[in-house]
Amino acid sequence: MGKRYFEESELIINPDGSVFHLHVRPEDLADKVILVGDPGRVELVASHFDTKECNIESREFHTITGTYNGKRIMVTSTGIGCDNIDIVMNEIDALANIDFNTRTEKEKIRQLDIVRIGTCGGLQPYTPVGTFICSEKSIGFDGLLNFYEGRNAVCDLAMERALLNHLGWNGNMCAPAPYIIDADSELVERIADKDMVRGVTIACGGFFGPQGRQLRIPLTDPKQNEKIEKFEYNGLKITNFEMESSALAGLARLMGHKATTCCMVIANRVAKEANTGYKNQIDDLIKIVLNRI
Ligand code: R1P
Ligand code: URA
């Protein structure tokens, strides 16, 4: 089979040789990648680096590559949502596995270790504010992976059916067409180690309605969170809500990379508690991930 060629409209490369949205060049990519949602968190991660070789800002995507204890690491912000994860993962994978000079796929797949460090809402009494949760499974309420052919081959179809039956959603009601995908198990072992909760994370297509938060307008299913908190499948319970882990785990699986998400709980939905002064505490999570990635 000949090498696949990617047209100019499909893989957009800027005049300086960088990839369209991230503005990162192939030589800036490291094998270890940390993704954060908040662009301001990139400087916090990079403040621990011993050396820095590039610092690139483009829209919500801020990237710094450097070294930490001799390990070359690239940290990039994604902004909020799985739609941005589609951009970041495809562009990072292109930097790794497509030759930008010939626009063809490279012979040998370069595998990356990718860890997202974020914030989340806790859904169980044992995930109070301040808990670090490493997602071993993600449930995508965002629909993104459904656009990729390999979706059925990598997802837990039986658990998807069990969750939909449990929620009793049909027709257009909430209409998430959830997909359920495992994070990379070796990476979860290494990053979660013995001190993080291993979680099942729902990535939602919104912060309010899709996470069962009702302000002035009513929700389609006011009992959504109650049902989600009670759901149990093969001994697993759903632990937290955030907005990116499903697309990250799903695209990484399809592309051949290792990925997981670690989040700090900043709001517990059962206890109705929140912590807005979490910026110092997330630095503890950052240091743990930098040491284990
Ligand atoms: C919502 O406030 C944002 O916080 C969480 C959610 O996934 C969403 O992106 O993660 P980050 O703290 O990484 O942005
Ligand atoms: N991020 C989310 O997506 N949800 C929360 O409740 C907190 C952080």
Side-chain angles (χ1 to χ4, degrees), residues 227-244:
K227 289 189 253 178
I228 286 172
E229 283 151 23
K230 287 197 182 113
F231 179 69
E232 199 164 341
Y233 181 81
N234 287 347
L236 294 172
K237 295 198 82 146
I238 295 170
T239 47
N240 57 325
F241 275 141
E242 49 82 85
M243 297 175 62
E244 294 83 14

Side-chain angles (χ1 to χ4, degrees), residues 11 17 20 34 47 56 93 116 120 125-126 133 148 153 173 191 203 214 225 232 244-245 258-261 273 286 288:
L11 170 63
F20 186 46
I34 291 178
S47 69
I56 304 156
D93 182 64
R116 173 179 134 68
C120 69
Y126 57 86
I133 302 179
Y148 291 89
M173 190 167 166
I191 299 290
Q214 182 180 326
N225 283 14
E232 199 164 341
E244 294 83 14
S245 66
K258 300 174 120 186
T260 188
T261 290
E273 286 169 357
I286 289 170
I288 291 174

Side-chain angles (χ1 to χ4, degrees), residues 73-84:
I73 298 175
M74 182 177 96
V75 53
T76 297
S77 58
T78 66
I80 289 182
C82 284
D83 45 353
N84 281 353

Side-chain angles (χ1 to χ4, degrees), residues 119-121 207 211 213 241-243 266-267 269:
T119 59
C120 69
F207 185 82
Q211 297 188 23
R213 282 190 174 91
F241 275 141
E242 49 82 85
M243 297 175 62
I266 60 155
R269 307 297 303 286

Side-chain angles (χ1 to χ4, degrees), residues 38 40-41 43-45 47-48 117-119 129-132 264-266 275-290:
D38 180 355
R41 211 174 290 150
E43 289 287 0
L44 188 58
V45 174
S47 69
H48 300 288
I117 303 174
T119 59
V129 168
T131 309
F132 297 158
M264 188 179 85
V265 177
I266 60 155
N275 168 22
T276 52
Y278 59 85
K279 299 250 151 113
N280 289 337
Q281 217 183 333
I282 203 155
D283 201 34
D284 293 339
L285 180 57
I286 289 170
K287 284 184 268 186
I288 291 174
V289 172
L290 281 170

Side-chain angles (χ1 to χ4, degrees), residues 42-181:
V42 170
E43 289 287 0
L44 188 58
V45 174
S47 69
H48 300 288
F49 286 178
D50 310 311
T51 60
K52 290 179 200 166
E53 60 188 82
C54 70
N55 191 334
I56 304 156
E57 285 182 67
S58 167
R59 299 182 183 233
E60 57 267 68
F61 311 113
H62 182 190
T63 299
I64 298 180
T65 301
T67 55
Y68 174 81
N69 282 351
K71 293 186 283 196
R72 191 165 177 256
I73 298 175
M74 182 177 96
V75 53
T76 297
S77 58
T78 66
I80 289 182
C82 284
D83 45 353
N84 281 353
I85 295 294
D86 186 60
I87 290 174
V88 171
M89 284 299 287
N90 273 288
E91 293 198 354
I92 285 179
D93 182 64
L95 290 167
N97 291 308
I98 296 175
D99 182 327
F100 276 29
N101 294 316
T102 60
R103 295 183 158 276
T104 55
E105 195 172 8
K106 292 183 184 166
E107 298 283 353
K108 194 168 173 300
I109 291 295
R110 176 177 170 196
Q111 185 181 59
L112 309 172
D113 280 5
I114 307 170
V115 179
R116 173 179 134 68
I117 303 174
T119 59
C120 69
L123 290 170
Q124 299 295 339
Y126 57 86
T127 59
V129 168
T131 309
F132 297 158
I133 302 179
C134 182
S135 308
E136 53 181 353
K137 247 183 211 301
S138 280
I139 302 175
F141 274 15
D142 55 282
L144 189 125
L145 210 68
N146 299 330
F147 286 87
Y148 291 89
E149 186 199 40
R151 176 242 190 268
N152 280 356
V154 297
C155 286
D156 187 336
L157 306 182
M159 186 170 172
E160 287 172 11
R161 266 192 305 278
L163 178 62
L164 268 178
N165 287 342
H166 176 84
L167 292 169
W169 291 350
N170 51 44
N172 278 341
M173 190 167 166
C174 306
Y179 58 91
I180 303 186
I181 179 86

